[in-house]
mmCIF file of all heavy atoms in Angstrom:
data_model
loop_
_atom_site.group_PDB
_atom_site.id
_atom_site.type_symbol
_atom_site.label_atom_id
_atom_site.label_comp_id
_atom_site.label_asym_id
_atom_site.label_seq_id
_atom_site.Cartn_x
_atom_site.Cartn_y
_atom_site.Cartn_z
ATOM 1 N N ALA A 328 13.846 6.054 -4.303
ATOM 2 C CA ALA A 328 15.142 5.891 -4.971
ATOM 3 C C ALA A 328 15.181 4.575 -5.749
ATOM 4 O O ALA A 328 15.637 4.529 -6.905
ATOM 5 C CB ALA A 328 16.272 5.937 -3.952
ATOM 6 N N LEU A 329 14.684 3.500 -5.142
ATOM 7 C CA LEU A 329 14.648 2.202 -5.832
ATOM 8 C C LEU A 329 13.717 2.247 -7.040
ATOM 9 O O LEU A 329 14.016 1.653 -8.086
ATOM 10 C CB LEU A 329 14.205 1.104 -4.869
ATOM 11 C CG LEU A 329 15.184 0.752 -3.742
ATOM 12 C CD1 LEU A 329 14.574 -0.316 -2.841
ATOM 13 C CD2 LEU A 329 16.511 0.258 -4.310
ATOM 14 N N CYS A 330 12.588 2.943 -6.907
ATOM 15 C CA CYS A 330 11.659 3.066 -8.038
ATOM 16 C C CYS A 330 12.333 3.750 -9.227
ATOM 17 O O CYS A 330 12.147 3.337 -10.378
ATOM 18 C CB CYS A 330 10.412 3.852 -7.624
ATOM 19 S SG CYS A 330 9.280 2.945 -6.541
ATOM 20 N N LYS A 331 13.127 4.773 -8.944
ATOM 21 C CA LYS A 331 13.816 5.497 -10.021
ATOM 22 C C LYS A 331 14.875 4.612 -10.677
ATOM 23 O O LYS A 331 15.024 4.613 -11.909
ATOM 24 C CB LYS A 331 14.455 6.770 -9.469
ATOM 25 C CG LYS A 331 13.436 7.844 -9.110
ATOM 26 C CD LYS A 331 14.103 9.039 -8.451
ATOM 27 C CE LYS A 331 13.063 10.077 -8.041
ATOM 28 N NZ LYS A 331 13.676 11.222 -7.305
ATOM 29 N N ILE A 332 15.616 3.866 -9.857
ATOM 30 C CA ILE A 332 16.638 2.961 -10.414
ATOM 31 C C ILE A 332 15.987 1.931 -11.315
ATOM 32 O O ILE A 332 16.447 1.662 -12.436
ATOM 33 C CB ILE A 332 17.410 2.264 -9.272
ATOM 34 C CG1 ILE A 332 18.256 3.290 -8.498
ATOM 35 C CG2 ILE A 332 18.311 1.153 -9.823
ATOM 36 C CD1 ILE A 332 18.803 2.762 -7.180
ATOM 37 N N ALA A 333 14.888 1.331 -10.843
ATOM 38 C CA ALA A 333 14.206 0.293 -11.611
ATOM 39 C C ALA A 333 13.592 0.843 -12.891
ATOM 40 O O ALA A 333 13.585 0.175 -13.931
ATOM 41 C CB ALA A 333 13.117 -0.349 -10.748
ATOM 42 N N ALA A 334 13.084 2.074 -12.826
ATOM 43 C CA ALA A 334 12.457 2.687 -14.006
ATOM 44 C C ALA A 334 13.483 3.087 -15.055
ATOM 45 O O ALA A 334 13.170 3.136 -16.256
ATOM 46 C CB ALA A 334 11.651 3.909 -13.584
ATOM 47 N N ASN A 335 14.723 3.335 -14.629
ATOM 48 C CA ASN A 335 15.767 3.786 -15.548
ATOM 49 C C ASN A 335 16.567 2.643 -16.172
ATOM 50 O O ASN A 335 17.483 2.887 -16.957
ATOM 51 C CB ASN A 335 16.725 4.740 -14.825
ATOM 52 C CG ASN A 335 16.086 6.084 -14.552
ATOM 53 O OD1 ASN A 335 15.204 6.525 -15.293
ATOM 54 N ND2 ASN A 335 16.510 6.744 -13.491
ATOM 55 N N ARG A 336 16.236 1.404 -15.828
ATOM 56 C CA ARG A 336 16.878 0.260 -16.484
ATOM 57 C C ARG A 336 16.499 0.219 -17.967
ATOM 58 O O ARG A 336 15.467 0.767 -18.373
ATOM 59 C CB ARG A 336 16.416 -1.047 -15.830
ATOM 60 C CG ARG A 336 16.942 -1.283 -14.453
ATOM 61 C CD ARG A 336 16.405 -2.545 -13.797
ATOM 62 N NE ARG A 336 15.962 -3.589 -14.709
ATOM 63 C CZ ARG A 336 16.056 -4.898 -14.489
ATOM 64 N NH1 ARG A 336 16.592 -5.332 -13.373
ATOM 65 N NH2 ARG A 336 15.609 -5.778 -15.355
ATOM 66 N N SER A 337 17.310 -0.467 -18.764
ATOM 67 C CA SER A 337 16.947 -0.621 -20.176
ATOM 68 C C SER A 337 15.638 -1.398 -20.306
ATOM 69 O O SER A 337 14.849 -1.154 -21.217
ATOM 70 C CB SER A 337 18.067 -1.331 -20.942
ATOM 71 O OG SER A 337 18.343 -2.594 -20.353
ATOM 72 N N VAL A 338 15.413 -2.344 -19.392
ATOM 73 C CA VAL A 338 14.116 -3.016 -19.272
ATOM 74 C C VAL A 338 13.593 -2.701 -17.873
ATOM 75 O O VAL A 338 14.007 -3.321 -16.892
ATOM 76 C CB VAL A 338 14.236 -4.541 -19.468
ATOM 77 C CG1 VAL A 338 12.876 -5.200 -19.306
ATOM 78 C CG2 VAL A 338 14.826 -4.861 -20.832
ATOM 79 N N PRO A 339 12.691 -1.719 -17.733
ATOM 80 C CA PRO A 339 12.189 -1.345 -16.402
ATOM 81 C C PRO A 339 11.476 -2.511 -15.727
ATOM 82 O O PRO A 339 10.907 -3.384 -16.379
ATOM 83 C CB PRO A 339 11.205 -0.209 -16.701
ATOM 84 C CG PRO A 339 11.622 0.324 -18.042
ATOM 85 C CD PRO A 339 12.135 -0.865 -18.797
ATOM 86 N N ILE A 340 11.530 -2.512 -14.386
ATOM 87 C CA ILE A 340 10.850 -3.541 -13.607
ATOM 88 C C ILE A 340 10.045 -2.869 -12.506
ATOM 89 O O ILE A 340 10.325 -1.727 -12.113
ATOM 90 C CB ILE A 340 11.843 -4.552 -12.988
ATOM 91 C CG1 ILE A 340 12.863 -3.837 -12.089
ATOM 92 C CG2 ILE A 340 12.530 -5.365 -14.073
ATOM 93 C CD1 ILE A 340 13.761 -4.770 -11.295
ATOM 94 N N PRO A 341 9.025 -3.550 -11.975
ATOM 95 C CA PRO A 341 8.230 -2.949 -10.901
ATOM 96 C C PRO A 341 8.936 -3.025 -9.552
ATOM 97 O O PRO A 341 9.643 -3.995 -9.252
ATOM 98 C CB PRO A 341 6.950 -3.799 -10.892
ATOM 99 C CG PRO A 341 7.388 -5.127 -11.426
ATOM 100 C CD PRO A 341 8.465 -4.840 -12.428
ATOM 101 N N VAL A 342 8.747 -1.988 -8.749
ATOM 102 C CA VAL A 342 9.184 -1.975 -7.357
ATOM 103 C C VAL A 342 7.941 -1.848 -6.496
ATOM 104 O O VAL A 342 7.202 -0.871 -6.611
ATOM 105 C CB VAL A 342 10.147 -0.810 -7.069
ATOM 106 C CG1 VAL A 342 10.481 -0.729 -5.574
ATOM 107 C CG2 VAL A 342 11.422 -0.947 -7.878
ATOM 108 N N TYR A 343 7.707 -2.828 -5.661
ATOM 109 C CA TYR A 343 6.562 -2.802 -4.757
ATOM 110 C C TYR A 343 7.080 -2.364 -3.391
ATOM 111 O O TYR A 343 7.600 -3.174 -2.614
ATOM 112 C CB TYR A 343 5.882 -4.156 -4.710
ATOM 113 C CG TYR A 343 5.349 -4.550 -6.070
ATOM 114 C CD1 TYR A 343 5.968 -5.551 -6.825
ATOM 115 C CD2 TYR A 343 4.264 -3.886 -6.625
ATOM 116 C CE1 TYR A 343 5.493 -5.892 -8.087
ATOM 117 C CE2 TYR A 343 3.788 -4.220 -7.884
ATOM 118 C CZ TYR A 343 4.406 -5.220 -8.607
ATOM 119 O OH TYR A 343 3.938 -5.544 -9.857
ATOM 120 N N ALA A 344 6.961 -1.057 -3.140
ATOM 121 C CA ALA A 344 7.536 -0.459 -1.939
ATOM 122 C C ALA A 344 6.432 -0.036 -0.979
ATOM 123 O O ALA A 344 5.488 0.653 -1.381
ATOM 124 C CB ALA A 344 8.387 0.754 -2.320
ATOM 125 N N GLU A 345 6.553 -0.466 0.266
ATOM 126 C CA GLU A 345 5.677 0.018 1.336
ATOM 127 C C GLU A 345 6.503 1.020 2.114
ATOM 128 O O GLU A 345 7.571 0.694 2.631
ATOM 129 C CB GLU A 345 5.215 -1.161 2.193
ATOM 130 C CG GLU A 345 4.204 -0.783 3.263
ATOM 131 C CD GLU A 345 4.829 -0.623 4.623
ATOM 132 O OE1 GLU A 345 5.199 -1.630 5.237
ATOM 133 O OE2 GLU A 345 4.967 0.540 5.063
ATOM 134 N N MET A 346 6.007 2.280 2.188
ATOM 135 C CA MET A 346 6.874 3.363 2.645
ATOM 136 C C MET A 346 6.273 4.109 3.841
ATOM 137 O O MET A 346 6.039 3.509 4.880
ATOM 138 C CB MET A 346 7.172 4.283 1.463
ATOM 139 C CG MET A 346 7.885 3.556 0.315
ATOM 140 S SD MET A 346 8.255 4.573 -1.131
ATOM 141 C CE MET A 346 6.615 4.779 -1.839
ATOM 142 N N GLY A 347 6.014 5.422 3.687
ATOM 143 C CA GLY A 347 5.664 6.247 4.834
ATOM 144 C C GLY A 347 4.177 6.423 5.051
ATOM 145 O O GLY A 347 3.389 6.431 4.100
ATOM 146 N N SER A 348 3.787 6.601 6.326
ATOM 147 C CA SER A 348 2.374 6.797 6.651
ATOM 148 C C SER A 348 2.248 7.351 8.058
ATOM 149 O O SER A 348 2.975 6.941 8.966
ATOM 150 C CB SER A 348 1.627 5.467 6.536
ATOM 151 O OG SER A 348 0.253 5.626 6.757
ATOM 152 N N ILE A 349 1.304 8.290 8.259
ATOM 153 C CA ILE A 349 1.022 8.787 9.616
ATOM 154 C C ILE A 349 -0.339 8.292 10.106
ATOM 155 O O ILE A 349 -0.735 8.579 11.229
ATOM 156 C CB ILE A 349 1.109 10.324 9.694
ATOM 157 C CG1 ILE A 349 0.229 10.996 8.632
ATOM 158 C CG2 ILE A 349 2.554 10.783 9.564
ATOM 159 C CD1 ILE A 349 0.154 12.508 8.773
ATOM 160 N N ASN A 350 -1.061 7.568 9.285
ATOM 161 C CA ASN A 350 -2.233 6.792 9.706
ATOM 162 C C ASN A 350 -3.255 7.609 10.496
ATOM 163 O O ASN A 350 -3.422 7.431 11.710
ATOM 164 C CB ASN A 350 -1.772 5.587 10.524
ATOM 165 C CG ASN A 350 -0.752 4.764 9.776
ATOM 166 O OD1 ASN A 350 -1.034 4.197 8.748
ATOM 167 N ND2 ASN A 350 0.475 4.732 10.289
ATOM 168 N N PRO A 351 -3.954 8.535 9.835
ATOM 169 C CA PRO A 351 -4.884 9.427 10.525
ATOM 170 C C PRO A 351 -5.998 8.686 11.261
ATOM 171 O O PRO A 351 -6.527 7.694 10.784
ATOM 172 C CB PRO A 351 -5.459 10.280 9.392
ATOM 173 C CG PRO A 351 -5.240 9.481 8.151
ATOM 174 C CD PRO A 351 -3.962 8.742 8.374
ATOM 175 N N VAL A 352 -6.323 9.218 12.435
ATOM 176 C CA VAL A 352 -7.402 8.682 13.269
ATOM 177 C C VAL A 352 -8.411 9.792 13.503
ATOM 178 O O VAL A 352 -8.049 10.873 13.996
ATOM 179 C CB VAL A 352 -6.852 8.182 14.619
ATOM 180 C CG1 VAL A 352 -7.987 7.666 15.507
ATOM 181 C CG2 VAL A 352 -5.798 7.107 14.412
ATOM 182 N N LEU A 353 -9.660 9.560 13.141
ATOM 183 C CA LEU A 353 -10.727 10.541 13.335
ATOM 184 C C LEU A 353 -11.524 10.148 14.572
ATOM 185 O O LEU A 353 -12.246 9.144 14.571
ATOM 186 C CB LEU A 353 -11.660 10.594 12.125
ATOM 187 C CG LEU A 353 -11.201 11.406 10.906
ATOM 188 C CD1 LEU A 353 -9.847 10.940 10.383
ATOM 189 C CD2 LEU A 353 -12.241 11.359 9.798
ATOM 190 N N VAL A 354 -11.378 10.928 15.645
ATOM 191 C CA VAL A 354 -12.131 10.668 16.868
ATOM 192 C C VAL A 354 -13.371 11.558 16.826
ATOM 193 O O VAL A 354 -13.284 12.778 17.025
ATOM 194 C CB VAL A 354 -11.288 10.955 18.127
ATOM 195 C CG1 VAL A 354 -12.045 10.526 19.378
ATOM 196 C CG2 VAL A 354 -9.957 10.233 18.060
ATOM 197 N N LEU A 355 -14.525 10.960 16.552
ATOM 198 C CA LEU A 355 -15.755 11.734 16.357
ATOM 199 C C LEU A 355 -16.353 12.148 17.706
ATOM 200 O O LEU A 355 -16.091 11.513 18.744
ATOM 201 C CB LEU A 355 -16.743 10.925 15.538
ATOM 202 C CG LEU A 355 -16.252 10.486 14.138
ATOM 203 C CD1 LEU A 355 -17.386 9.862 13.334
ATOM 204 C CD2 LEU A 355 -15.624 11.636 13.361
ATOM 205 N N PRO A 356 -17.161 13.204 17.710
ATOM 206 C CA PRO A 356 -17.689 13.753 18.974
ATOM 207 C C PRO A 356 -18.400 12.742 19.856
ATOM 208 O O PRO A 356 -18.266 12.789 21.091
ATOM 209 C CB PRO A 356 -18.647 14.847 18.495
ATOM 210 C CG PRO A 356 -18.063 15.306 17.193
ATOM 211 C CD PRO A 356 -17.515 14.059 16.554
ATOM 212 N N SER A 357 -19.151 11.816 19.275
ATOM 213 C CA SER A 357 -19.892 10.849 20.099
ATOM 214 C C SER A 357 -18.944 9.997 20.937
ATOM 215 O O SER A 357 -19.215 9.700 22.108
ATOM 216 C CB SER A 357 -20.757 9.950 19.210
ATOM 217 O OG SER A 357 -19.943 9.148 18.358
ATOM 218 N N ALA A 358 -17.812 9.594 20.360
ATOM 219 C CA ALA A 358 -16.842 8.773 21.092
ATOM 220 C C ALA A 358 -16.177 9.570 22.205
ATOM 221 O O ALA A 358 -15.892 9.037 23.284
ATOM 222 C CB ALA A 358 -15.794 8.227 20.128
ATOM 223 N N LEU A 359 -15.935 10.855 21.956
ATOM 224 C CA LEU A 359 -15.329 11.695 22.980
ATOM 225 C C LEU A 359 -16.275 11.903 24.156
ATOM 226 O O LEU A 359 -15.845 12.012 25.306
ATOM 227 C CB LEU A 359 -14.941 13.052 22.383
ATOM 228 C CG LEU A 359 -13.784 13.031 21.373
ATOM 229 C CD1 LEU A 359 -13.637 14.386 20.712
ATOM 230 C CD2 LEU A 359 -12.477 12.629 22.047
ATOM 231 N N LYS A 360 -17.569 11.949 23.883
ATOM 232 C CA LYS A 360 -18.554 12.165 24.953
ATOM 233 C C LYS A 360 -18.766 10.916 25.799
ATOM 234 O O LYS A 360 -19.014 11.010 27.005
ATOM 235 C CB LYS A 360 -19.885 12.617 24.344
ATOM 236 C CG LYS A 360 -19.853 14.051 23.815
ATOM 237 C CD LYS A 360 -21.168 14.423 23.150
ATOM 238 C CE LYS A 360 -21.095 15.851 22.594
ATOM 239 N NZ LYS A 360 -22.333 16.218 21.846
ATOM 240 N N THR A 361 -18.678 9.744 25.194
ATOM 241 C CA THR A 361 -19.030 8.516 25.918
ATOM 242 C C THR A 361 -17.834 7.671 26.340
ATOM 243 O O THR A 361 -17.901 6.975 27.351
ATOM 244 C CB THR A 361 -19.956 7.636 25.052
ATOM 245 O OG1 THR A 361 -19.262 7.284 23.840
ATOM 246 C CG2 THR A 361 -21.250 8.359 24.712
ATOM 247 N N ASP A 362 -16.735 7.713 25.564
ATOM 248 C CA ASP A 362 -15.607 6.800 25.822
ATOM 249 C C ASP A 362 -14.264 7.508 25.769
ATOM 250 O O ASP A 362 -13.267 6.940 25.320
ATOM 251 C CB ASP A 362 -15.614 5.662 24.793
ATOM 252 C CG ASP A 362 -16.845 4.783 24.912
ATOM 253 O OD1 ASP A 362 -17.103 4.302 26.019
ATOM 254 O OD2 ASP A 362 -17.533 4.593 23.895
ATOM 255 N N CYS A 363 -14.226 8.736 26.204
ATOM 256 C CA CYS A 363 -13.011 9.552 26.090
ATOM 257 C C CYS A 363 -11.801 8.881 26.743
ATOM 258 O O CYS A 363 -10.741 8.740 26.123
ATOM 259 C CB CYS A 363 -13.269 10.915 26.727
ATOM 260 S SG CYS A 363 -11.858 12.025 26.692
ATOM 261 N N GLU A 364 -11.948 8.458 27.993
ATOM 262 C CA GLU A 364 -10.821 7.874 28.723
ATOM 263 C C GLU A 364 -10.364 6.561 28.095
ATOM 264 O O GLU A 364 -9.159 6.305 27.966
ATOM 265 C CB GLU A 364 -11.213 7.649 30.182
ATOM 266 C CG GLU A 364 -10.054 7.183 31.040
ATOM 267 C CD GLU A 364 -10.402 7.121 32.517
ATOM 268 O OE1 GLU A 364 -11.500 7.582 32.891
ATOM 269 O OE2 GLU A 364 -9.565 6.619 33.289
ATOM 270 N N LYS A 365 -11.318 5.735 27.685
ATOM 271 C CA LYS A 365 -10.989 4.449 27.060
ATOM 272 C C LYS A 365 -10.123 4.640 25.821
ATOM 273 O O LYS A 365 -9.069 3.995 25.671
ATOM 274 C CB LYS A 365 -12.273 3.725 26.693
ATOM 275 C CG LYS A 365 -12.085 2.549 25.750
ATOM 276 C CD LYS A 365 -13.428 2.057 25.204
ATOM 277 C CE LYS A 365 -13.239 1.177 23.988
ATOM 278 N NZ LYS A 365 -14.522 0.736 23.411
ATOM 279 N N TRP A 366 -10.553 5.545 24.936
ATOM 280 C CA TRP A 366 -9.811 5.713 23.688
ATOM 281 C C TRP A 366 -8.468 6.399 23.923
ATOM 282 O O TRP A 366 -7.486 6.115 23.235
ATOM 283 C CB TRP A 366 -10.651 6.467 22.664
ATOM 284 C CG TRP A 366 -11.776 5.632 22.144
ATOM 285 C CD1 TRP A 366 -13.110 5.850 22.265
ATOM 286 C CD2 TRP A 366 -11.644 4.397 21.426
ATOM 287 N NE1 TRP A 366 -13.838 4.839 21.683
ATOM 288 C CE2 TRP A 366 -12.960 3.933 21.152
ATOM 289 C CE3 TRP A 366 -10.564 3.633 20.998
ATOM 290 C CZ2 TRP A 366 -13.203 2.756 20.459
ATOM 291 C CZ3 TRP A 366 -10.785 2.451 20.312
ATOM 292 C CH2 TRP A 366 -12.097 2.024 20.048
ATOM 293 N N ALA A 367 -8.415 7.305 24.902
ATOM 294 C CA ALA A 367 -7.137 7.949 25.216
ATOM 295 C C ALA A 367 -6.123 6.918 25.703
ATOM 296 O O ALA A 367 -4.956 6.925 25.291
ATOM 297 C CB ALA A 367 -7.341 9.030 26.269
ATOM 298 N N LYS A 368 -6.540 6.003 26.561
ATOM 299 C CA LYS A 368 -5.640 4.948 27.054
ATOM 300 C C LYS A 368 -5.230 4.007 25.921
ATOM 301 O O LYS A 368 -4.055 3.625 25.812
ATOM 302 C CB LYS A 368 -6.319 4.159 28.168
ATOM 303 C CG LYS A 368 -6.443 4.932 29.473
ATOM 304 C CD LYS A 368 -7.110 4.072 30.552
ATOM 305 C CE LYS A 368 -7.150 4.808 31.890
ATOM 306 N NZ LYS A 368 -7.793 4.011 32.944
ATOM 307 N N ASN A 369 -6.202 3.630 25.088
ATOM 308 C CA ASN A 369 -5.899 2.725 23.968
ATOM 309 C C ASN A 369 -4.871 3.339 23.024
ATOM 310 O O ASN A 369 -3.957 2.661 22.542
ATOM 311 C CB ASN A 369 -7.165 2.385 23.197
ATOM 312 C CG ASN A 369 -8.044 1.383 23.915
ATOM 313 O OD1 ASN A 369 -7.674 0.866 24.957
ATOM 314 N ND2 ASN A 369 -9.210 1.104 23.378
ATOM 315 N N TYR A 370 -5.025 4.629 22.780
ATOM 316 C CA TYR A 370 -4.116 5.269 21.819
ATOM 317 C C TYR A 370 -2.768 5.618 22.438
ATOM 318 O O TYR A 370 -1.749 5.643 21.727
ATOM 319 C CB TYR A 370 -4.799 6.456 21.137
ATOM 320 C CG TYR A 370 -5.506 5.954 19.895
ATOM 321 C CD1 TYR A 370 -6.779 5.420 19.977
ATOM 322 C CD2 TYR A 370 -4.835 5.903 18.694
ATOM 323 C CE1 TYR A 370 -7.397 4.876 18.856
ATOM 324 C CE2 TYR A 370 -5.446 5.369 17.561
ATOM 325 C CZ TYR A 370 -6.715 4.855 17.651
ATOM 326 O OH TYR A 370 -7.300 4.293 16.540
#
């Protein structure tokens, strides 16, 4: 919403917005075989 407001000004300005993320984690098979409990507790 802020980006649209700033872009629609007579003189547009930048909006540096940090917004949404679900931050994917890839747990590869080797880690599951050797450190399953450790990573489950950490996460």
Side-chain angles (χ1 to χ4, degrees):
L329 292 178
C330 287
K331 288 175 183 176
I332 293 167
N335 288 331
R336 289 177 25 146
S337 57
V338 179
I340 58 172
V342 174
Y343 298 107
E345 185 260 287
M346 300 179 287
S348 184
I349 53 173
N350 306 296
V352 178
L353 280 56
V354 186
L355 301 188
S357 65
L359 291 172
K360 288 177 182 176
T361 61
D362 296 307
C363 179
E364 186 173 352
K365 166 192 164 182
W366 289 117
K368 288 181 176 180
N369 284 355
Y370 271 85

